[in-house]
Amino acid sequence: SAVISQKPSRDICQRGTSLTIQCQVDSQVTMMFWYRQQPGQSLTLIATANQGSEATYESGFVIDKFPISRPNLTFSTLTVSNMSPEDSSIYLCSVEGSGTDGYTFGSGTRLTVV
Amino acid sequence: EDQVTQSPEALRLQEGESSSLNCSYTVSGLRGLFWYRQDPGKGPEFLFTLYSAGEEKEKERLKATLTKKESFLHITAPKPEDSATYLCAASGGSNYKLTFGKGTLLTVNP
C-alpha cells in the first residue's frame, strides 16, 4: 500500500492567519482526499483532489476557506485560511489503496488556533 | 444521506475478555465497509475491507463480519496493545467518499 508523508505534524497558529499542510505519496495516485477530525468527532471529508482539475468540495466546505492544490500525481496541499479557534482539528490526507487494501491515511496534522 | 453509527462509544475490557464492536450503516449501493484502528496522535491504520453480506475476515485477534445492515469487529482474548480507537467507514454507489462513524474507544486492562 502507498506510504504518505504529511507535514507539519502539529502547529499552533494565531487566529486570522493561514496554514498550508503538505501531503507527499510514494506512488502516483489519481485521487487524494482531505479529511478533518474535530475533537471527539468522526472524520469528515473536506474535498477530493484530482490532478489537473479543481478539487471537489463537500457540503459545508468552500474553496476560499480550504484552497487545495494538486500539481502532480504524488503531491497535494490543503490550506486552512483566515483561521479561527473553531478550525482547531486534526487534518488528514488519504489515498485509495490498491487491490483489496483500504484507503491509506497520513499521520495527520494537529492544528491548534489561539 | 449515508450514515454510519458505532457502538459502544467506549469499551473497557480485561485482558483475555473477548467482546464485539458494532457498526450500523445506511449506504446506498455499498461499495465497501472498512475498519480502521487509530492510536492517539496518529492517522487511521487500515484493518479490513468487507464487500458483501456474509463476508468475514480475520487478522490475529480480530475478526470482522458483515450483514446487510451492520458489521461487527470481534476481538478474541484481547491484549493491552489492542487498546485504541476503532473506526468503521462505508462507501457507497459511484462515490469514492468514505463516511465514518465516531469510533469505539477500546481500553484493555492487564
Side-chain angles (χ1 to χ4, degrees):
Chain A
S1 59
V3 176
I4 300 175
S5 298
Q6 184 175 342
K7 58 182 181 182
S9 58
R10 59 178 62 228
D11 207 340
I12 300 174
C13 300
Q14 296 291 323
R15 67 173 67 201
T17 63
S18 298
L19 175 72
T20 296
I21 302 167
Q22 299 180 2
C23 255
Q24 179 75 52
V25 189
D26 69 345
S27 58
Q28 293 184 340
V29 293
T30 303
M31 290 186 290
M32 294 183 72
F33 307 90
W34 287 98
Y35 285 84
R36 181 175 72 182
Q37 188 175 27
Q38 294 178 301
Q41 301 298 315
S42 62
L43 278 75
T44 302
L45 181 65
I46 297 171
T48 301
N50 290 333
Q51 194 268 337
S53 63
E54 286 209 3
T56 302
Y57 289 82
E58 297 297 310
S59 175
F61 298 96
V62 295
I63 187 170
D64 290 344
K65 177 66 175 177
F66 298 101
I68 288 171
S69 78
R70 184 78 202 275
N72 57 52
L73 290 173
T74 64
F75 187 78
S76 179
T77 67
L78 170 76
T79 299
V80 186
S81 303
N82 189 25
M83 290 184 286
S84 66
E86 291 71 36
D87 294 320
S88 297
S89 292
I90 299 173
Y91 293 85
L92 298 132
C93 63
S94 174
V95 300
E96 190 174 15
S98 58
T100 57
D101 292 344
Y103 294 71
T104 301
F105 285 82
S107 55
T109 297
R110 182 179 293 273
L111 170 63
T112 302
V113 184
V114 297
Chain B
E1 183 178 334
D2 296 344
Q3 285 190 327
V4 175
T5 304
Q6 292 187 246
S7 62
E9 291 186 5
L11 180 63
R12 189 177 296 270
L13 300 173
Q14 289 298 122
E15 184 172 3
E17 179 186 1
S18 301
S19 188
S20 298
L21 312 181
N22 177 263
C23 171
S24 298
Y25 65 92
T26 304
V27 173
S28 300
L30 182 72
R31 292 182 62 248
L33 188 292
F34 303 84
W35 282 97
Y36 286 87
R37 168 189 172 130
Q38 187 173 27
D39 293 296
K42 296 188 177 182
E45 175 190 346
F46 171 72
L47 294 174
F48 303 107
T49 307
L50 301 168
Y51 296 99
S52 58
E55 188 174 2
E56 299 182 352
K57 288 190 177 176
E58 289 188 64
K59 179 180 179 181
E60 297 181 355
R61 295 177 293 281
L62 301 177
K63 178 180 177 180
T65 62
L66 182 66
T67 73
K68 289 186 177 180
K69 294 183 178 180
E70 56 191 351
S71 178
F72 293 94
L73 184 66
H74 306 278
I75 303 176
T76 303
K79 298 182 177 181
E81 52 263 41
D82 294 322
S83 297
T85 296
Y86 289 85
L87 300 171
C88 173
S91 68
S94 60
N95 194 336
Y96 288 86
K97 169 185 175 180
L98 286 182
T99 300
F100 278 86
K102 291 186 177 181
T104 295
L105 175 61
L106 174 66
T107 303
V108 182
N109 296 316

